[in-house]
């Protein structure tokens, strides 16, 4: 008896999955470990920047009373390197030698640049040749006043964000954490690279694929294991893992064969979301809630696994962390014919070239779901809608630009 | 006495730095740790793929002799799950129940899909209703023959590459390693975030900036430290570090003040490459070979440090690992006026928007080299050439698109 499954369009599958993702609880994270994460709070300046009157140049601080009739000769009462202070008030007739970035003494109104100074006979005096129009002093709060918004809730922290926050002494931030993911490849035919390969078995290529993609797209992979084709063992392992992760990704076992245990588990042990999508490759892609944990069961065919990850797992992973999908849908123009008959919408692994304001796209390598020679080169997915004719060169298609970071 | 420095254009500075970068020696790396690295060898298929005749469907393998006059009834002589084998030759009148991905027995010429099968009374027999035009068998070497090129020398390994290589049992690859970088911030005024801030001192924001950027652009940061303003101590620490890293990045101390020790070290202890660039911010940016190790001394002003990293450090870091710069230069159109007089070429931190086939660009935040409020938001650098007029809205400018990963 062959099971008949209810099919849904891929867009509905995508929506069903993200609907079952809830943004994670924000956590406190050390600033330097939070790069790439999204702020769960707005951050305001705890003090003004600069918080002292800062010298913009190397030179000599003078009082307003002395700022006329140059050249003038003043008494050097102190030297103020960066990070030091002169704690008295500067009086007319006095100057301090001051460095770029140092605190300008009270009473000083201008920094005369070093280039305008001349050594005189008395070492405690300095001759200043000319004044300048600008004060060369950055006043308190020039860039930020206390309470000014530095970074808004929802901002994804990058190198510049860490730098800005560090300048205010921030060491911890509230962020949405990375989702914890378990990656389970199923199938007794799988052998880990490095082991000897008995006849009829194959090296496991989906597990490294999914681990790498999940990390690229911002997940923390806490388990990755190959499970053998044993229903009870698979169920037991899923039960152990379900409470500990935010998403379980599996490959293989979703078809209608006698050893397709993930399909069985979806029906017997979980709340099924869908198990048949009107798309190729990967029509038996299955999603379920297993003890409340979202489980996306991808096909074991590498092409289907790659495609399914980008269409279904990526938006889920991103949503857990408060981020929109990083895979943009754009309009593409076919750079060559693809004229096959497609019973379902077909997703081709492709390459996109931007020229003259358009994305020219073409399939890369084979469209077989079992092929994986094109996985290193695909930078987009091209949708060929179901129908007898395919898409000819020059026709418009829907394209998803992959944004993997490696 | 104010030192006069010889100035060079920024493009010459950029070239002088990359000229002094030699690609690192390739290393062997575990495949799963090599993501993002560049292959230093081409990799060829060690065996064909698939290496056995693979069933494309769940179903029943039959001999050519039986492939006519359907429906037919055949004797089921074995069940071949994925990863198992049937080691005898299939004879006419016989069939094996076979799963998707399993090895097709010798003698079999076609897989009849499970959907075309009917159980009959005798459990050791099966009735097959119809044949199909395709064999549903993927022949040996369909995707790759032994010796076919899998990935070319120079390919940057991504998730798909790891998957492809894993499918051939590859566990180690020759790659150009990440460059080892030391990041040293100089200045007695610097305090680490988390410490209390004495009057006149500031929190260190350049060190987290450079550590993050260096990692984003593919370096391994092996040291990051703040050095105080002490010539001998600075020189001694540089001597300890120089032999252990590929690039030393420093911030601060490059100007002409009394505490600008990096400038002094460049003159007295190293082979100076340049110490004055015709650009703002960051004109005193200095490069040298310190005991043979490339040392790029960036300005301590955050805006200059950010700009200098992207223009000078990034291409160097990438070249060490066999990669071209990831920061593309494009033509941009000013989306608003910037009409200041510039004595040198000025690089603005900006934002770029792609629309109608053009990059519209505009400055983001302040152009002061001491400001850092815009570092989290800048995604490009905009060059305003030296001159009295600046650039008006609608004018064309040179733009560098930053590609930081976080």
């Amino acid at each position: 008896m062959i099971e008949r499954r209810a099919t849904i369009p891929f867009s509905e599958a995508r929506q069903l999955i993200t609907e079952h993702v809830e943004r994670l609880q924000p956590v406190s994270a050390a600033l330097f470990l939070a790069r790439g994460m999204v702020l769960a709070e707005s951050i305001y300046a705890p003090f003004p920047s600069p918080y002292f009157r800062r010298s913009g140049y190397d030179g000599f601080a003078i009082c307003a009373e002395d700022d006329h009739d140059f050249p003038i000769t003043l008494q050097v009462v102190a030297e103020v390197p960066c990070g030091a202070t002169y704690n008295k008030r500067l009086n007319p007739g006095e100057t301090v030698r001051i460095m770029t970035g140092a605190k300008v003494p009270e009473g000083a109104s201008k920094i005369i640049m070093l280039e305008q100074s001349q050594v005189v006979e008395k070492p405690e005096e300095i001759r200043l040749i000319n004044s300048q129009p600008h004060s060369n002093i950055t006043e308190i709060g020039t860039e930020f006043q206390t309470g000014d918004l530095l970074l808004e809730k929802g901002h994804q922290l990058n190198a510049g964000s860490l730098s800005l926050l560090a300048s205010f002494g921030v060491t911890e931030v509230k962020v949405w954490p990375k989702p914890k993911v378990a990656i389970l490849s199923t199938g007794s035919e799988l052998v880990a690279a490095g082991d000897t390969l008995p006849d009829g078995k194959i090296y496991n290529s989906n597990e490294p694929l999914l681990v790498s993609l999940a990390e690229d797209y911002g997940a923390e992979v806490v388990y990755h294991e190959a499970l053998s084709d044993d229903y009870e063992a698979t169920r037991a392992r899923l039960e152990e893992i379900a409470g500990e992760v935010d998403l379980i990704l599996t490959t293989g076992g979703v078809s209608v064969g006698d050893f397709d245990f993930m399909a069985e588990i979806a029906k017997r042990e979980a709340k099924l979301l869908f198990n048949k999508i009107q798309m190729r490759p990967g029509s038996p892609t299955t999603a379920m809630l297993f003890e409340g944990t979202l489980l996306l069961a991808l096909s074991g065919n590498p092409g289907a696994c790659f495609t399914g990850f980008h269409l279904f797992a990526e938006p889920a992973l991103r949503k857990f962390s408060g981020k929109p999908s990083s895979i943009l849908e754009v309009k593409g123009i076919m750079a060559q014919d693809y004229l096959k008959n497609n019973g379902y919408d077909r997703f081709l692994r492709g390459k996109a070239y931007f020229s003259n304001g358009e994305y020219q796209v073409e399939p890369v390598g084979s469209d077989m779901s079992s092929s994986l020679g094109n996985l290193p080169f695909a930078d987009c997915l091209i949708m060929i809608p179901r129908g007898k004719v395919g898409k000819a060169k020059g026709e418009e298609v829907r394209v998803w630009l992959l944004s993997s970071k490696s």
Side-chain angles (χ1 to χ4, degrees), chain A:
Chain A
M1 227 333 251
I2 296 297
E3 166 205 356
R4 287 255 158 237
R5 295 180 178 182
T7 68
I8 60 173
F10 89 92
S11 52
E12 197 177 311
R14 207 171 143 106
Q15 201 185 326
L16 262 170
I17 284 176
T18 47
E19 264 172 19
H20 285 87
V21 170
E22 286 201 33
R23 201 150 68 172
L24 301 174
Q25 283 301 308
V27 294
S28 280
L31 179 66
F32 299 142
L33 299 178
R35 197 159 94 255
M37 297 188 185
V38 171
L39 276 181
E41 60 181 351
S42 293
I43 300 182
Y44 301 90
F47 51 77
S49 175
Y51 74 89
F52 54 77
R53 297 171 73 222
R54 187 171 63 196
S55 174
Y57 285 98
D58 263 45
F60 291 89
I62 65 167
C63 294
E65 290 87 337
D66 294 324
D67 193 11
H68 58 87
D69 296 320
F70 281 73
I72 57 174
T73 300
L74 298 174
Q75 197 186 359
V76 182
V77 295
E79 186 175 65
V80 187
C82 224
T85 54
Y86 176 66
N87 288 323
K88 285 183 266 185
R89 192 178 170 87
L90 192 69
N91 297 311
E94 295 176 347
T95 184
V96 298
R97 169 85 176 90
I98 194 167
M99 313 303 162
T100 309
K103 180 178 174 178
V104 176
E106 261 186 84
S109 68
K110 187 177 280 188
I111 310 300
I112 304 295
M113 291 165 76
L114 193 60
E115 289 85 336
Q116 294 296 332
S117 68
Q118 265 181 346
V119 175
V120 290
E121 269 168 40
K122 293 185 189 169
E124 69 276 17
E125 291 185 352
I126 191 86
R127 186 177 146 92
L128 301 175
I129 301 161
N130 253 313
S131 191
Q132 309 117 202
H134 299 296
S135 72
N136 297 329
I137 296 171
T138 308
E139 296 296 336
I140 292 170
T142 298
E143 191 166 16
F144 292 103
Q145 303 278 353
T146 301
D148 277 357
L149 179 67
L150 297 176
L151 294 171
E152 208 162 357
K153 181 176 173 176
H155 169 79
Q156 187 171 340
L157 295 165
N158 57 28
S161 330
L162 267 53
S163 179
L164 175 62
L165 295 180
S167 79
F168 284 97
V170 172
T171 55
E172 256 191 28
V173 285
K174 271 229 163 92
V175 291
W176 283 292
K178 294 182 175 193
K180 290 185 169 58
V181 174
I183 289 164
L184 307 174
S185 48
T186 73
S188 299
E189 74 278 21
L190 299 179
V191 172
D195 290 349
T196 54
L197 191 63
D199 192 26
K201 295 189 186 279
I202 58 169
Y203 283 119
N204 189 343
S205 62
N206 283 337
E207 196 177 310
L209 177 71
L210 291 182
V211 170
S212 302
L213 287 176
E215 289 180 352
D216 279 355
Y217 286 99
E220 183 187 350
V221 177
V222 291
Y223 297 104
H224 57 98
E225 329 177 336
L227 304 179
S228 62
D229 288 331
D230 177 320
Y231 186 88
E232 279 309 317
T234 299
R235 191 182 55 74
R237 189 65 187 128
L238 287 176
E239 275 172 6
E240 285 169 1
I241 286 175
E244 298 181 33
V245 299
D246 303 303
L247 177 68
I248 300 173
L249 278 179
T250 70
T251 68
V254 290
S255 200
V256 295
D258 296 352
F259 294 88
D260 286 317
F261 292 132
M262 291 312 303
E264 280 302 296
I265 282 170
K267 279 187 296 190
R268 285 160 50 184
E269 320 271 355
K271 182 183 170 214
L272 180 70
L273 300 181
F274 57 81
N275 62 5
K276 184 99 178 175
I277 309 177
Q278 294 154 12
M279 65 177 279
R280 292 213 197 290
S283 65
T285 300
T286 295
M288 65 189 95
L289 296 175
F290 183 90
E291 301 195 344
T293 298
L294 184 61
L295 190 160
L296 176 64
L298 298 165
S299 160
N301 270 321
C305 183
F306 180 87
T307 303
F309 178 91
H310 287 102
L311 291 179
F312 306 117
E314 191 270 351
L317 291 178
R318 302 274 301 179
K319 187 176 173 191
F320 278 119
S321 298
K323 305 175 190 172
S325 169
S326 64
I327 298 178
L328 292 184
E329 185 184 341
V330 298
K331 245 180 11 191
I333 304 296
M334 290 296 281
Q336 63 183 61
D337 288 345
Y338 183 88
L339 298 176
K340 290 189 193 169
N341 174 3
N342 298 293
Y344 281 146
D345 292 342
R346 177 176 287 281
F347 288 85
L348 300 172
R349 285 148 275 168
K351 284 196 75 69
Y353 309 87
F354 196 82
S355 79
N356 295 324
E358 285 181 339
Y359 285 101
Q360 297 277 332
V361 297
E362 61 188 19
V364 56
S366 163
D367 65 357
M368 282 179 68
S369 72
S370 62
S371 75
L372 77 175
N374 54 9
L375 302 191
F377 307 108
D379 58 22
C380 70
L381 296 172
I382 305 166
M383 194 186 93
I384 307 292
R386 66 194 303 170
K388 290 209 184 306
V389 294
K391 287 283 181 185
K393 183 177 170 175
E395 284 197 273
E396 200 176 297
V397 282
R398 292 173 74 181
V399 173
W400 285 260
L401 300 175
L402 310 184
S403 67
S404 165
K405 293 178 175 182
S406 58

